[in-house]
Amino acid sequence: MALFPNHASWSLRRRLTVTVAGLLVGASILVGLVSVLSLRSFLIDRLDAQLQSAVGRSQAAVDGHDDRDKDNQGPNHAQDALLAPGQAAGTLVIVNNPGGAVTAAVLGNGGGTYIPPSVLGTPPAVKDNRPFDLHTARLGDFRALQVRALTGDTLIVALPTTEVDAATQQLLLVILLVTALGLGVTIIAGRYLIRFELKPLERVAATAQAVATLPLDRGEVSLAERVAPEDTDPRTEVGRVGLAVNTMLDHVGDALTARQASEEKVRQFVADASHELRTPLASIRGYSELTRRSGEKLSEPMTHALSRIESEAIRMTALVEDLLLLARLDEGRELVHGEVDLTRVVIDCVADAQVSGPDHTWKLHLPDEAVSIAGDQARLHQVLANLLANARIHTPAGSMVDVTLVREGAQVQIKVRDNGPGIPAAQRRTIFERFTRGDSSRTRATGSTGLGLAIVQAVVQSHGGKVSVASKKGRTEFVVSLPA
Ligand SMILES: Nc1ncnc2c1ncn2[C@@H]1O[C@H](COP(=O)(O)OP(=O)(O)O)[C@@H](O)[C@H]1O
Ligand SMILES: [Mg+2]
């Protein structure tokens, strides 16, 4: 069971502070209660002893004057009892004579004062010679003792408990003040000390947080972040956490390195394979072309077969080139940096597209002044060529394609918009991934590889830019943003 079930969100610091403060209050209450009760019982015992002697004096005084005032017993007996030498101020004496008359008097500094018995209320039924508490409405509280005089009178002598009450109240007050002070000091010092003690834990958390923000999903990751050695002492709880975090980071680092190595191997393999395939493909293309043009009379099916071999070889060459380019872009090389006149690139690409796609209407919007950025001219040319080829291949004849180059603040944007059939939402999500394509036999026949947009994204990203697509029926727009 949790200690603070309703405060699950409390920080450890707050929990510890509240726990310590609670324990302190509990201990203070216990100590205070025991001290006050034992002080009171000690003082009452002492008062009872004083009471014994006071009663002895009073009794002697009453017994000694027994013969004299037979007629007027009550008041005088009370006075005798009260004015017995040695009696302290504040002493209360009550005399009940056998006839039922009650006389009561209290000793002041200047002598005794009679008080009407009604002030005392009904006297409690008590046993002789046993001290008891006497509460009066107007005179306050007393400790009293009842004895019997030789005259037959019942004599009650009482001493005020004022001093006992004052002493216990004083002690209570002191304990309360000390507890309050202790509580304040505990909370303030406790918060500080706990914060201080929790520092190592916070440092471990900070390390974990720093690692959590690292992009670990791709590329070469240097996992240099570690919990400092002073926070990895296995003898402490925090040290064990720190040690566990470091061990985990070691494992994760090893795993990431292994992953990186295997990714590199695959990439290298793809690059090598594509590279090796170029030459035989060129041969196939060359020989089929040579045979077709040799002038020999070939049968109709033969000619068809040769032209198929040739066109498939061309398609495969394109695929292999794309694969090789992607593998090299993944490796982070292949880009040649220089000053690129984007306006020129856009004009060239649209001109090329116009030649390849005479069935489409091509529109071009350029800013007034020339736009140039730092980058790889050939690759940027390829980005735009791929987008324009898509706009040509994946839209019906007669569609309109609109290319816009704009400069927006620190960004240069190339927008390629067409009014074709659009891209289904399901496909749009993965459109920049490799080998994603709308599978119609028409696109396959026209040399579709599904790598075009993957190359667009890889090139744009290696230029520090990004590419996005928005599409609905009759309006598809690709936007390439590059840092100016
Ligand atoms: N402008 C466009 N209009 C409609 N569909 C498009 C457009 N551009 C791309 N697509 C879809 O995205 C797919 C992926 O494009 P891409 O990566 O260039 O591969 P490819 O063109 O070789 O098929 C295409 O097969 C096509 O279905
Ligand atoms: Mg394409």
Side-chain angles (χ1 to χ4, degrees):
M1 198 191 76
L3 198 54
F4 306 103
N6 296 327
H7 303 283
S9 61
W10 278 18
S11 67
L12 189 56
R13 192 185 307 157
R14 182 181 255 187
R15 280 160 192 269
L16 288 175
T17 313
V18 169
T19 310
V20 169
L23 287 176
L24 179 79
V25 169
S28 302
I29 288 177
L30 197 71
V31 169
L33 214 62
V34 170
S35 320
V36 167
L37 286 181
S38 67
L39 176 75
R40 190 175 175 84
S41 118
F42 169 76
L43 291 177
I44 290 286
D45 283 353
R46 224 171 55 176
L47 195 63
D48 286 350
Q50 290 167 7
L51 199 56
Q52 287 288 357
S53 12
V55 162
R57 284 194 289 273
S58 294
Q59 198 173 18
V62 171
D63 289 349
H65 289 201
D66 179 32
D67 324 332
R68 276 192 279 167
D69 309 299
K70 277 240 164 24
D71 324 323
N72 197 358
Q73 281 175 351
N76 283 339
H77 280 176
Q79 198 169 26
D80 290 342
L82 194 65
L83 295 178
Q87 229 56 322
T91 308
L92 169 69
V93 168
I94 305 165
V95 178
N96 286 306
N97 79 7
V102 179
T103 320
V106 72
L107 184 63
N109 283 329
T113 314
Y114 287 94
I115 43 175
S118 61
V119 168
L120 301 170
T122 353
V126 290
K127 293 210 178 97
D128 289 352
N129 287 319
R130 196 169 293 170
F132 61 97
D133 290 326
L134 181 70
H135 305 286
T136 68
R138 258 192 262 156
L139 297 172
D141 294 340
F142 291 87
R143 194 68 181 160
L145 193 61
Q146 173 174 292
V147 289
R148 237 158 259 278
L150 292 179
T151 51
D153 294 325
T154 317
L155 191 64
I156 295 178
V157 177
L159 291 175
T161 57
T162 335
E163 276 176 25
V164 174
D165 292 342
T168 40
Q169 262 164 29
Q170 177 78 13
L171 180 65
L172 202 65
L173 196 70
V174 168
I175 288 174
L176 279 179
L177 282 177
V178 169
T179 303
L181 199 71
L183 197 64
V185 171
T186 304
I187 288 175
I188 293 168
R191 279 182 72 86
Y192 172 77
L193 286 176
I194 290 167
R195 178 175 306 173
F196 182 76
E197 287 298 323
L198 288 182
K199 271 269 154 64
L201 196 59
E202 260 156 34
R203 287 197 294 267
V204 173
T207 306
Q209 233 149 22
V211 173
T213 56
L214 289 178
L216 302 179
D217 56 336
R218 77 170 72 100
E220 199 157 348
V221 182
S222 71
L223 209 55
E225 213 68 57
R226 287 290 183 280
V227 177
E230 66 261 29
D231 294 332
T232 56
D233 187 340
R235 289 170 301 179
T236 67
E237 290 84 349
V238 173
R240 282 200 288 280
V241 175
L243 206 59
V245 168
N246 275 359
T247 314
M248 188 186 73
L249 288 179
D250 287 343
H251 286 325
V252 171
D254 290 349
L256 288 176
T257 312
R259 189 212 61 192
Q260 176 68 10
S262 87
E263 264 178 18
E264 233 150 56
K265 221 185 266 173
V266 170
R267 219 176 279 144
Q268 189 60 45
F269 171 75
V270 172
D272 290 348
S274 335
H275 188 75
E276 291 302 319
L277 282 170
R278 281 165 131 185
T279 323
L281 275 172
S283 306
I284 294 173
R285 226 169 53 213
Y287 279 113
S288 57
E289 195 179 343
L290 189 73
T291 318
R292 191 163 50 81
R293 293 191 178 174
S294 64
E296 302 242 350
K297 192 86 189 94
L298 293 172
S299 64
E300 185 71 11
M302 200 68 169
T303 321
H304 177 69
L306 274 177
S307 79
R308 287 293 296 138
I309 290 174
E310 208 181 316
S311 70
E312 285 301 290
I314 291 173
R315 195 169 94 82
M316 198 160 167
T317 308
L319 180 63
V320 161
E321 292 293 343
D322 283 356
L323 274 177
L324 185 60
L325 176 61
L326 269 176
R328 288 187 174 163
L329 284 171
D330 283 348
E331 276 172 8
R333 48 197 184 100
E334 181 66 14
L335 286 190
V336 184
H337 281 281
E339 168 115 6
V340 182
D341 181 354
L342 266 189
T343 316
R344 184 82 257 143
V345 170
V346 172
I347 292 171
D348 287 351
C349 285
V350 174
D352 293 350
Q354 232 152 6
V355 174
S356 324
D359 298 341
H360 286 64
T361 314
W362 302 90
K363 286 197 175 164
L364 179 58
H365 302 278
L366 293 171
D368 291 337
E369 70 256 44
V371 177
S372 46
I373 63 164
D376 184 322
Q377 164 120 23
R379 298 286 82 94
L380 288 173
H381 187 282
Q382 186 162 10
V383 164
L384 196 53
N386 284 4
L387 291 177
L388 293 181
N390 283 350
R392 173 167 54 83
I393 298 168
H394 305 296
T395 57
S399 303
M400 195 172 70
V401 185
D402 197 311
V403 183
T404 311
L405 175 65
V406 281
R407 171 173 235 142
E408 266 182 26
Q411 297 278 309
V412 174
Q413 290 192 331
I414 306 169
K415 303 177 185 173
V416 179
R417 196 172 71 226
D418 66 64
N419 61 355
I423 305 164
Q427 193 193 348
R428 218 153 51 218
R429 253 171 273 132
T430 55
I431 197 154
F432 293 106
E433 285 170 21
R434 288 157 201 203
F435 297 112
T436 303
R437 56 186 168 181
D439 60 347
S440 77
S441 51
R442 185 179 65 83
T443 57
R444 206 155 293 198
T446 46
S448 170
T449 62
L451 290 177
L453 289 177
I455 290 176
V456 168
Q457 190 177 43
V459 172
V460 170
Q461 278 179 352
S462 59
H463 277 83
K466 60 181 195 292
V467 56
S468 62
V469 61
S471 178
K472 57 183 187 200
K473 198 169 157 54
R475 185 192 162 98
T476 301
E477 184 174 53
F478 285 88
V479 179
V480 172
S481 302
L482 294 164

